Amino acid sequence: MTTNLIIFAGNLYTNMEKRTYQYINKINSPVDLKDINKKDLTAVCGELRQFIIDEVSENPGHLGSNLGVVELTVAIHYVFNAPYDRIVWDVGHQAYGHKILTGRRDRFNTNRLFKGLCGFPSPKESEYDAFGVGHSSTAISAALGMSVAAMQKGELDRQVVAIIGDGAMTGGLAFEGLNNASMVKNNMLIILNDNQMAIDPIQGGFTQYLVDLTTSHTYNKIRFRASNLLQKWNIINDAKKKRITQFNNSIKATLTKQTNIFEGLNIRYFGPVDGHDVEGLVRILSDIKDFKGPKVLHCITKKGKGYEPAEKSSTGWHSPGKFDVKTGIRKTVNSTIPTPLLFQDVFGETLLELARTNDKILAITPAMPSGCCMNIMQREFPERVFDVGIAESHAVTFSAGLAKDGMIPFCNIYSSFMQRAYDNVIHDVALQELNVIMCLDRSGIVGSDGATHQGQFDLAYMRCIPNLTISAPRNEIELRHLMYTAKQPDMGPFVIRYPRGKGFIVDWKQPMKALAIGKGECLKAGKDFAVLTIGTIANNAQLGIELIEKEKNVSVAHYDIRFLKPIDQSLLHEIAKKFKQIVTIEDGVIQGGFGSAVLEFMSDNGYKNQVTRLGIPDSFIEHGTPEEIYHMLGLDAEGIALSLKSLILKNNLEYSKVPSI
């Protein structure tokens, strides 16, 4: 067998047809990890890192964030006793190593695949996943709840660890959790994975001396005994103890010329430490784990650690797709045939066009400038693009403030992430009728990120809010028209939702025009029954209609409603008077969504039409490719055709032969 040697960041690996490992192939649970000599943990980390690189290169997922926490993951499981000890990951896309070390190594090749492992921690999948984490900034609050619960139940030996990082400390919920942790009795340990994006970097030898001192067993043993004696002699109480801690923090801040939010909240702070020194991490975690009260260990890590291409471009290698491990070259499908752009690319290009014509247009995103393609505008107008961090609530209210004083903010937030800003949409935008243009990227079914990221709820949760205009384009040209429409004077709060992935039209860059608010369109005339769609699901519906009409004995009308709110009532009156059978199709939840709006219209206006609703059922949808999920839900062309066939059979509509599907 030919053997190729590869060097990554100083580590020597062997790339064979099937790589063998001395250590991790024998680790089926953290118990097996604890049997390994501490001096061999560096080798374990090397193997774990290489395993992740190999797997993600062929089965795409999150790479850079997972490579950055390899040593942290190994050290945590070496010191703590999961699942009894609670380990809460935040954000969940840095937990691949955790999954591999907790009995899922041999199934890791199914990660993010249909019916395979979830890409994020999931208690349904493993008892080692203490809390479901798909979004960010939740770990501190959840871990605090677990720590308080342990104390309430008398489980004083149970450790609770929250690992937060990769930008999650920019989320407001993290600070709410920190504030509460300083107020209630708990023994939580917060590990801050600082990959050079936030909070103090290591500076100087004296800082390291303080790290060694404050994390040493001897120092803290003396400190603990002294504290107990002083309390026993009634020299200090809890209030005085807090003041002493504040004084100690002030002295430390004076000596190091730095302070941080943790010390300001009287949460014991240790660090910063090298997050890639696994033996050092084991020592420190072992020393501080039994300290009473909330505490923070601040670790400096490097996103993409151990794989040179990922170290050089952390953004590009966050989720790189398939790639060649040896060369670092991404694997792409080469084709000379022009293909449609991604919807987010069309959004980014169109936003730049609009910004060039109106200097009041500003762009706001919560930490996703490249994901939503606002980086296209950012390159030309950096002063007009605002990345506010993982802070959706702030993004919406910040946009409201901009709109209040005459700017035109395009606030782009993924559909599933906008859920965190719901109150802000209601209170700060809709109630005040401000022209904030809320662009919901990744609406509908998004695929391999699974239940935490499916954009299935936005039509339903937005529809009940007064003063909103809610729209969904069926293709890229419609997206451009809606963006152009939303910036017109006196539009008020305006929602545009569109999906992840490729569009449908190669020649999408057509002149933009303003659309009439609340007006739909007849895409195809018909006489037997009507299909009503909103958004890009219209394209699947069109194909499904074509399947049913092959024999030309059934005539199906197709309408694109376009605006969920205000809905086109004149068009619905026309449809209701013409067709007894109506089918609504949406890539959102059936309950409270587009189909519900049509049913309400029919009821309110005394119509007795039969309305059949197709959409996402009352359940959370797990991961898989969009094609697999749409097929499972019956929302692909074949599934829609089958539903239409069922309607034909049920109502004895005239037909000679329904095509085989």
Side-chain angles (χ1 to χ4, degrees):
M1 182 187 297
T2 303
T3 300
N4 299 313
L5 296 181
I6 317 165
I7 296 178
F8 294 131
N11 296 317
L12 185 65
Y13 299 112
T14 304
N15 184 31
M16 298 183 175
E17 291 177 10
K18 186 174 182 180
R19 201 183 307 274
T20 58
Y21 298 98
Q22 180 181 352
Y23 297 103
I24 65 170
N25 281 353
K26 301 174 184 176
I27 300 174
N28 297 307
S29 76
V31 173
D32 300 324
L33 176 65
K34 296 176 195 299
D35 290 336
I36 297 173
N37 190 292
K38 186 167 73 171
K39 295 187 181 299
D40 294 324
L41 292 182
T42 299
V44 173
C45 293
E47 290 188 359
L48 182 58
R49 179 169 278 115
Q50 186 61 39
F51 185 89
I52 293 171
I53 292 170
D54 287 345
E55 290 292 333
V56 176
S57 71
E58 292 299 324
N59 179 24
H62 296 97
L63 182 66
S65 52
N66 285 289
L67 298 184
V69 295
V70 165
E71 287 79 13
L72 264 175
T73 304
V74 170
I76 288 167
H77 279 296
Y78 196 77
V79 172
F80 295 96
N81 296 309
Y84 181 75
D85 289 341
R86 306 304 196 202
I87 298 173
V88 183
W89 291 89
D90 188 343
V91 287
H93 65 229
Q94 59 181 344
Y96 287 6
H98 160 79
K99 291 195 173 218
I100 293 162
L101 295 177
T102 54
R104 288 166 277 184
R105 178 194 63 246
D106 293 340
R107 292 184 293 145
F108 195 72
N109 61 343
T110 71
N111 188 46
R112 293 163 57 89
L113 299 180
F114 191 56
K115 304 296 184 182
L117 292 179
C118 177
F120 305 97
S122 171
K124 295 178 182 178
E125 183 179 286
S126 171
E127 62 179 343
Y128 288 97
D129 294 353
F131 198 75
V133 184
H135 297 181
S136 80
S137 311
T138 59
I140 294 175
S141 296
L144 178 60
M146 293 175 186
S147 183
V148 170
M151 300 186 79
Q152 292 285 324
K153 294 189 292 183
E155 298 168 342
L156 302 183
D157 61 334
R158 171 168 278 164
Q159 303 284 342
V160 181
V161 184
I163 305 101
I164 187 168
D166 204 33
M169 277 302 300
T170 62
L173 184 62
F175 292 96
E176 293 178 26
L178 279 176
N179 182 61
N180 194 213
S182 71
M183 298 162 57
V184 301
K185 193 173 182 180
N186 70 91
N187 293 321
M188 173 176 58
L189 169 62
I190 301 166
I191 297 178
L192 174 60
N193 167 30
D194 177 8
N195 50 16
Q196 304 297 315
M197 295 196 298
I199 312 183
D200 320 305
I202 295 175
Q203 293 181 5
F206 189 68
T207 299
Q208 190 60 49
Y209 164 77
L210 284 175
V211 170
D212 293 338
L213 174 65
T214 57
T215 60
S216 75
H217 181 73
T218 302
Y219 166 83
N220 284 286
K221 187 176 180 181
I222 294 171
R223 189 179 186 275
F224 180 71
R225 286 180 177 176
S227 176
N228 281 349
L229 283 172
L230 291 171
Q231 289 189 73
K232 184 178 180 180
W233 295 338
N234 293 321
I235 294 174
I236 65 170
N237 53 29
D238 286 344
K240 290 179 179 178
K241 187 177 178 181
K242 283 188 177 181
R243 289 197 291 270
I244 290 171
T245 302
Q246 288 176 326
F247 177 73
N248 288 341
N249 289 338
S250 298
I251 293 296
K252 182 178 177 182
T254 301
L255 292 173
T256 61
K257 297 182 180 180
Q258 58 185 338
T259 188
N260 59 60
I261 190 172
F262 309 111
E263 291 169 342
L265 290 169
N266 296 316
I267 297 173
R268 293 197 64 186
Y269 169 83
F270 304 96
V273 301
D274 182 357
H276 298 299
D277 176 8
V278 66
E279 291 187 54
L281 289 170
V282 167
R283 177 188 68 79
I284 293 168
L285 290 171
S286 298
D287 285 343
I288 70 174
K289 69 174 186 174
D290 293 318
F291 294 171
K292 302 302 180 185
K295 45 206 169 283
V296 170
L297 176 63
H298 177 184
C299 301
I300 303 296
T301 64
K302 186 170 185 61
K303 197 167 183 176
K305 175 70 175 179
Y307 187 57
E308 189 175 358
E311 288 189 12
K312 288 182 175 179
S313 176
S314 58
T315 299
W317 286 83
H318 175 72
S319 183
K322 290 186 178 184
F323 60 95
D324 184 279
V325 174
K326 291 185 291 184
T327 64
I329 296 174
R330 311 265 187 101
K331 295 179 181 180
T332 57
V333 177
N334 294 320
S335 175
T336 57
I337 302 173
T339 58
L341 283 184
L342 300 172
F343 268 94
Q344 56 262 40
D345 287 322
V346 173
F347 167 83
E349 295 284 357
T350 303
L351 183 62
L352 176 59
E353 284 183 62
L354 296 174
R356 284 171 174 163
T357 65
N358 190 332
D359 60 9
K360 290 185 177 180
I361 290 177
L362 304 178
I364 298 89
T365 174
M368 291 294 180
S370 58
C372 72
C373 291
M374 277 189 176
N375 57 349
I376 295 172
M377 177 177 167
Q378 193 174 41
R379 286 191 288 268
E380 187 165 330
F381 301 111
E383 74 285 354
R384 292 166 61 187
V385 177
F386 300 88
D387 178 355
V388 301
I390 304 176
E392 289 81 8
S393 295
H394 167 66
V396 170
T397 304
F398 173 57
S399 299
L402 292 169
K404 184 67 174 67
D405 272 3
M407 308 309 289
I408 305 174
F410 278 78
C411 181
N412 188 302
I413 301 179
Y414 291 5
S415 171
S416 60
F417 296 166
M418 179 60 94
Q419 293 158 189
R420 296 194 293 229
Y422 194 60
D423 177 65
N424 309 84
V425 173
I426 295 172
H427 183 272
D428 303 328
V429 177
L431 181 61
Q432 303 186 58
E433 300 184 61
L434 296 172
N435 184 205
V436 176
I437 303 164
M438 293 167 280
C439 302
L440 305 188
D441 197 341
R442 270 71 166 174
S443 67
I445 296 300
V446 300
S448 55
D449 282 333
T452 57
H453 285 62
Q454 309 289 16
Q456 67 192 79
F457 302 109
D458 52 39
L459 290 174
Y461 73 64
M462 286 293 192
R463 187 171 78 87
C464 60
I465 302 175
N467 298 333
L468 292 188
T469 295
I470 305 171
S471 63
R474 68 177 181 272
N475 57 40
E476 306 94 301
I477 295 174
E478 288 273 304
L479 172 60
R480 285 168 59 78
H481 292 337
L482 286 168
M483 291 175 67
Y484 182 81
T485 303
K487 78 173 185 66
Q488 302 304 311
D490 303 318
M491 281 293 118
F494 205 108
V495 177
I496 307 172
R497 58 106 67 176
Y498 57 92
R500 180 183 190 179
K502 285 188 177 181
F504 308 95
I505 301 171
V506 174
D507 188 20
W508 57 268
K509 206 165 191 177
Q510 301 296 321
M512 289 176 273
K513 65 180 181 181
L515 300 175
I517 300 300
K519 292 298 179 183
E521 179 181 356
C522 180
L523 302 179
K524 176 186 174 300
K527 59 184 178 64
D528 291 323
F529 61 94
V531 170
L532 281 57
T533 59
I534 188 166
T536 56
I537 198 71
N539 298 277
N540 288 359
Q542 179 184 339
L543 296 174
I545 291 169
E546 289 174 2
L547 285 174
I548 281 295
E549 287 193 324
K550 277 185 177 179
E551 298 299 321
K552 303 185 185 303
N553 283 18
V554 176
S555 177
V556 182
H558 185 193
Y559 295 86
D560 172 24
I561 299 300
R562 188 184 288 134
F563 289 93
L564 178 62
K565 192 171 186 179
I567 201 163
D568 192 340
Q569 294 198 22
S570 62
L571 185 59
L572 289 180
H573 277 298
E574 177 186 322
I575 294 167
K577 292 172 182 176
K578 188 173 182 180
F579 301 98
K580 291 182 179 180
Q581 281 80 33
I582 297 169
V583 180
T584 66
I585 308 177
E586 59 196 300
D587 58 348
V589 290
I590 292 176
Q591 292 183 319
F594 166 56
S596 294
V598 173
L599 275 176
E600 290 165 16
F601 170 85
M602 297 296 173
S603 176
D604 291 345
N605 289 277
Y607 290 112
K608 305 298 182 183
N609 307 66
Q610 178 189 327
V611 178
T612 302
R613 295 177 298 156
L614 303 182
I616 298 174
D618 185 26
S619 62
F620 291 104
I621 307 302
E622 298 297 338
H623 48 284
T625 65
E627 293 76 17
E628 289 168 330
I629 295 172
Y630 278 121
H631 182 72
M632 178 185 73
L633 296 173
L635 294 176
D636 61 353
E638 290 186 353
I640 290 170
L642 283 170
S643 294
L644 298 181
K645 174 182 177 180
S646 176
L647 178 67
I648 293 168
L649 294 173
K650 182 178 179 181
N651 292 280
N652 297 314
L653 293 176
E654 185 181 346
Y655 69 101
S656 60
K657 182 181 177 183
V658 176
S660 177
I661 300 167

